[in-house]
């Protein structure tokens, strides 16, 4: 691959004028870097399952034993029938012929929380249904099974409307269809799903296992989290989607995963089948520069302020710690990821490499009228769109971080729409926005976030009423102090229409609403998806495919089903320090500390460890028996891949994906095969916890364990 690259450049040198030869020389220097970066290496890529036949030869070289139609088929049962989108943004998979599914604990977290009460705290204690009748229906939870996908690019080009295609494809009970763009509008795929809505919680470990390590270990290796939970899909007597009912029976999937307990070794083939959400591998240097130099620094700084305020309040009071645990985890997850991403991109020199790649592209495009202008057009489009996109991101990280103000936005919107704000409806809003609420935390955040909003936002975007009010009170501090003293939203319920209209928090929301609305123009997945920029990417992608023939192209993640493959493998974390691929119970015991919330394991696990009471799940390490916990592999994954099945060469389940290492989070922009690793729970740990801690060994009977 790499010699082709050089050869291409030597050829160019003979036909181009001397004055740009120096530049070319510089480019040759970067050829190695560029070639490795821009050619999809073995483990980079999130492939469309319907096109997997194009990859199977390479997969087989790595140890894959099945055929393309075993992975995906429109007509015959295939592995895709065992995979589902779980809730809005996770993946899950069937592990029994009776609709039993496995996903992450953090994916089931909201459901488990919803079913919990002070008397039945399933988050803390875990839960295992002892029979089908104890499986707990989760209102609102759905799963989507992909029936088929189809390239509809030609149909759309021939004039069929997307809406018609979707309408036709969604006929039938519980059927949902969508058309998703690939390669920035160059291709369109239709996805047809079956949506099941009677989903019941079967079991989950206590958070001290399912969330072991908490935010401290999040994105980190070595890792020891038993991040799994189990649910069951129910259907009507015909196996069709149906609303929750006592009459429903367990869904019978077309395929489910057999489970391998043979374990994982360095070098073993792994495949991940799931729904990754968002990558931007083809964007230009301008877009990456925006991420690392403008967007990430702003978001990280603002979240640091919020997290510090929350953490300090949490450290002073146990009830507050619990109340803000999920909020803190949510804010911290992306905060930590962005830091790893920025460091990774700086380390790889992605911006500089992309600039070099683009200079080279420009030389090629120079003689081609349809492409010659592209980079300039894109550059200009970025310059124009960045302020608006930044304003939206800044708004999200400042104003949207204020809980009472979010409630006020909601009330204001309801009122403008003419919704009658009955006591019942008000309760819904309160539950959503003022849940587990501490006014002192919110007020402290509001003071800092409004101040940051004013300083960082171009003055023209700051509502004049807000500037005037702050000037009148003398400071942001004082303005916010009075705002919280005078608002009725927090303590009074129900509120009258007049009280809502006159409330200072609602007024602030009203002042900010025009800005929030104009932000709507920038509400796209990424900066590069803003239409004024994205339109150029359509041509840019065509040009890249013509020009960079050695590059293996795969569409960016967009929450559609993908296959990635790689191997079980450790990596060199820092010079001379290798991180091995597998962690064990010994590592959990080394971290165990009743004083530290994130590391306080259940007593039963301590007892099991003391008595080496491992049942059939133990493995040997250095001549001693232990339990495998998590492993690393080189699969290209992203947010949304949580809960994805990790499959061996024979199509058996060996683990459950739940994270990446911190240093590999830049793989959403550039994948580095030497360092990018996904983190999975070893399926043997799942079975051990279920059996020895959950006492739910009877569930093993319905699985196919190899
Ligand atoms: N980092 C993983 C993901 O992006 C896990 C997040 C949940 N865990 C946590 N400690 N916040 O979703
Ligand atoms: N934890 C992520 C999720 O919920 C997966 C980790 C990642 O971003 O790779 O989807």
């Amino acid at each position: 691959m790499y010699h082709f690259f050089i050869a291409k450049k030597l050829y160019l040198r003979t036909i181009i004028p001397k004055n740009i030869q120096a530049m070319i020389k510089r480019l040759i220097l970067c050829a190695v870097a560029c070639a490795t970066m821009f050619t999809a290496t073995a483990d980079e890529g999130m492939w469309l399952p319907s096109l997997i036949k194009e990859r199977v030869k390479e997969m087989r070289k790595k140890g894959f034993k099945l055929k393309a139609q075993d992975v995906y088929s429109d007509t015959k049962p295939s592995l895709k029938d065992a995979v589902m989108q779980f809730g809005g943004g996770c993946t899950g998979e069937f592990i029994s012929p009776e609709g039993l599914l496995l996903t992450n604990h953090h994916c089931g977290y909201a459901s488990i929380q919803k079913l919990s009460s002070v008397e039945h705290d399933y988050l803390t204690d875990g839960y295992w249904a002892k029979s089908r009748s104890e499986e707990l229906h989760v209102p609102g939870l759905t799963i989507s099974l992909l029936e088929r996908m189809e390239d509809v690019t030609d149909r759309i080009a021939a004039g069929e409307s997307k809406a018609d295609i979707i309408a036709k494809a969604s006929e039938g009970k519980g059927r949902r269809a969508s058309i998703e763009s690939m390669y920035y509008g160059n291709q369109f795929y239709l996805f047809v799903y079956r949506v099941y809505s009677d989903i019941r919680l079967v079991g989950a470990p206590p958070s001290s296992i399912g969330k072991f390590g908490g935010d401290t270990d999040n994105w980190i290796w070595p890792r020891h989290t038993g991040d799994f939970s189990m649910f069951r899909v129910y259907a009507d007597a015909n196996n069709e989607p149906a609303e929750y009912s006592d009459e429903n029976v367990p869904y019978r999937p077309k395929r489910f995963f057999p489970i391998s307990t043979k374990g994982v070794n360095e070098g073993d083939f792994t495949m991940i089948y799931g729904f990754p959400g968002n990558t931007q591998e083809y964007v230009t240097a301008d877009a990456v520069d925006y991420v690392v130099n403008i967007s990430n620094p702003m978001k990280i700084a603002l979240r640091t302020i919020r997290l510090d305020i929350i953490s300090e309040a949490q450290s002073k009071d146990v009830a507050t710690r619990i109340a803000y645990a999920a909020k803190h985890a949510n804010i911290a997850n992306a905060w930590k990821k962005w830091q790893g991403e920025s460091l990774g991109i700086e380390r790889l020199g992605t911006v500089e490499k992309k600039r070099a790649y683009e200079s080279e592209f420009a030389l090629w495009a120079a003689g081609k009228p349809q492409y010659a202008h592209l980079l300039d057009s894109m550059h200009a489009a970025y310059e124009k769109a960045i302020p608006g996109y930044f304003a939206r991101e800044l708004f999200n990280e400042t104003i949207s971080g204020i809980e009472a103000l979010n409630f006020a936005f909601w009330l204001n919107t309801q009122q403008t729409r003419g919704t009658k704000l009955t006591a019942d409806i008000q309760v819904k809003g309160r539950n959503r926005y003022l849940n587990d609420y501490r006014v002192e935390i919110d007020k402290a955040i509001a003071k800092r976030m409004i101040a940051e909003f004013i300083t960082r936002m171009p003055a023209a975007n700051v509502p004049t009423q807000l500037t005037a009010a702050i000037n009148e009170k003398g400071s942001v501090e004082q303005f916010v102090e009075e705002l919280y003293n005078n608002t009725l939203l927090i303590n009074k319920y129900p509120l009258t229409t007049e009280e809502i209209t006159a409330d200072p928090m609602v007024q602030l929301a009203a002042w900010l609403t025009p800005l929030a609305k104009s932000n709507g123009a920038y509400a796209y997945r990424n900066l590069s998806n803003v239409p004024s920029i994205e339109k150029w990417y359509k041509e840019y992608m065509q040009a890249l495919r013509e020009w960079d023939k050695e590059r293996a192209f795969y569409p960016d993640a967009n929450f559609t089903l993908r296959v990635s493959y790689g191997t079980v493998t450790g990596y060199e974390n820092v010079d001379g320090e290798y991180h091995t691929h597998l962690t064990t119970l010994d590592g959990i015991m080394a971290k165990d500390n009743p004083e530290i919330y994130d590391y306080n394991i259940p007593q039963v696990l301590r007892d099991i460890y003391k008595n080496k009471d491992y049942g059939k799940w133990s493995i040997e390490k250095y001549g001693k028996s232990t339990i495998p916990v998590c492993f690393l592999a080189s699969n290209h994954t992203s947010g949304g891949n949580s809960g994805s099945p990790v499959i061996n060469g024979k199509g058996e389940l060996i683990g459950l994906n739940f994270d990446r290492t911190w240093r590999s989070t830049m793989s959403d922009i550039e994948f580095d095969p030497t360092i990018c690793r996904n983190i999975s729970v070893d399926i043997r740990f799942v079975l051990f916890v279920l059996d020895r801690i959950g006492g739910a060994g009877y569930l093993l009977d319905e699985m196919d364990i190899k």
Side-chain angles (χ1 to χ4, degrees), residues 584-698:
T584 63
L585 183 55
D586 300 79
I588 296 185
M589 300 316 298
K591 284 176 179 170
D592 175 30
N593 185 338
E595 310 278 294
I596 301 175
Y597 180 75
D598 285 346
Y599 293 138
N600 183 11
I601 62 170
Q603 186 54 40
V604 36
L605 187 55
R606 291 189 190 110
D607 298 341
I608 289 175
Y609 178 73
K610 196 164 142 231
N611 304 322
K612 299 280 174 288
D613 192 10
Y614 299 153
K616 58 182 168 190
W617 308 110
S618 76
I619 59 162
E620 286 277 305
K621 190 181 173 186
Y622 303 131
K624 285 200 226 139
S625 66
T626 188
I627 297 290
V629 176
C630 292
F631 66 88
L632 287 176
S634 61
N635 301 76
H636 192 181
T637 54
S638 190
N641 270 124
S642 273
S644 297
V646 190
I647 306 159
N648 67 14
K650 292 193 274 186
E652 299 159 345
L653 192 67
I654 52 174
L656 182 61
N657 184 70
F658 72 98
D659 210 0
R660 272 174 291 173
T661 63
W662 190 61
R663 293 192 56 203
S664 57
T665 47
M666 78 299 187
S667 66
D668 290 347
I669 294 172
E670 182 182 350
F671 185 91
D672 174 1
T674 64
I675 201 162
C676 289
R677 299 292 178 265
N678 64 304
I679 304 179
S680 307
V681 204
D682 193 304
I683 199 68
R684 296 169 294 174
F685 189 57
V686 171
L687 299 180
F688 162 80
V689 169
L690 174 115
D691 182 26
R692 308 308 286 181
I693 298 178
Y698 52 89

Side-chain angles (χ1 to χ4, degrees), residues 106 211 214-215 218-219 223 227 329 333 642 658-659:
H106 79 260
K211 211 176 179 294
D215 283 337
N218 191 25
W219 302 110
R223 189 62 157 279
D227 197 343
N333 191 39
S642 273
F658 72 98
D659 210 0

Side-chain angles (χ1 to χ4, degrees), residues 79-86 92-94 101 142-148 174-176 191-196 199 233 235 239 241 251-255 275 561:
L79 293 183
K80 81 130 178 25
D81 298 308
V83 183
M84 71 197 78
Q85 187 159 48
F86 180 90
E93 57 275 356
F94 288 118
L101 78 86
T142 60
I143 62 111
S144 304
L145 294 172
L146 181 66
E147 287 189 317
R148 63 187 181 90
R175 203 164 264 120
R176 164 169 78 84
F191 293 86
V192 183
Y193 300 93
R194 246 9 206 336
V195 182
Y196 285 81
I199 316 297
V233 179
N239 217 26
Y251 171 73
R252 296 179 306 284
K254 288 191 199 133
R255 280 292 292 267
F275 291 86
L561 188 61

